[in-house]
Amino acid sequence: MKYSRIVLSVLLFSAIHAVSAKSQNEVYIESASQFQKWCKYQSYRHFRRKKLQPYNWSASTYRKLNDYQTLGSWKVRGKARDVLCHIRVGEKAKHTIMEIQ
């Protein structure tokens, strides 16, 4: 009886967490560090969808008036691939402009 209650509560918590979790694009960007992490995650996904393995992420993020800009770089197949992400402070992440060279 006790075991079934534990299992039931774990399943219920998992279901509630899945429903309440926001997608990556619905998150509001409030800080430079948050935006840099978001840019890294999205650019990593971009390369992985193309069956490429990026490594050695390096980036700098700065605020210019009401905008955040992240200038980052991945190594892919031994070559540097530049990433530029740009967003207005306080906007949802889905409004990010991302350029990958």
Side-chain angles (χ1 to χ4, degrees), residues 52-85:
L52 298 171
Q53 181 61 54
Y55 59 96
N56 280 5
W57 170 256
S58 64
S60 59
T61 301
Y62 60 93
R63 184 173 180 163
K64 186 176 180 181
L65 300 175
N66 287 330
D67 298 339
Y68 286 130
Q69 285 190 339
T70 294
L71 300 171
S73 177
W74 285 106
K75 291 276 187 177
V76 179
R77 292 186 178 168
K79 294 183 180 179
R81 299 288 302 269
D82 294 329
V83 177
L84 171 65
C85 297

Side-chain angles (χ1 to χ4, degrees), residues 6-75:
I6 293 172
V7 171
L8 181 61
S9 63
V10 168
L11 291 175
L12 182 62
F13 176 76
S14 297
I16 290 171
H17 180 65
V19 170
S20 66
K22 289 183 176 182
S23 82
Q24 285 288 323
N25 289 332
E26 295 301 316
V27 173
Y28 285 94
I29 302 298
E30 300 293 338
S31 70
S33 63
Q34 176 193 18
F35 185 57
Q36 186 175 23
K37 288 175 190 174
W38 188 90
C39 186
K40 177 183 179 182
Y41 175 78
Q42 292 299 326
S43 60
Y44 181 85
R45 285 185 60 203
H46 167 81
F47 289 115
R48 293 303 296 153
R49 281 190 219 120
K50 293 183 173 198
K51 307 284 190 236
L52 298 171
Q53 181 61 54
Y55 59 96
N56 280 5
W57 170 256
S58 64
S60 59
T61 301
Y62 60 93
R63 184 173 180 163
K64 186 176 180 181
L65 300 175
N66 287 330
D67 298 339
Y68 286 130
Q69 285 190 339
T70 294
L71 300 171
S73 177
W74 285 106
K75 291 276 187 177

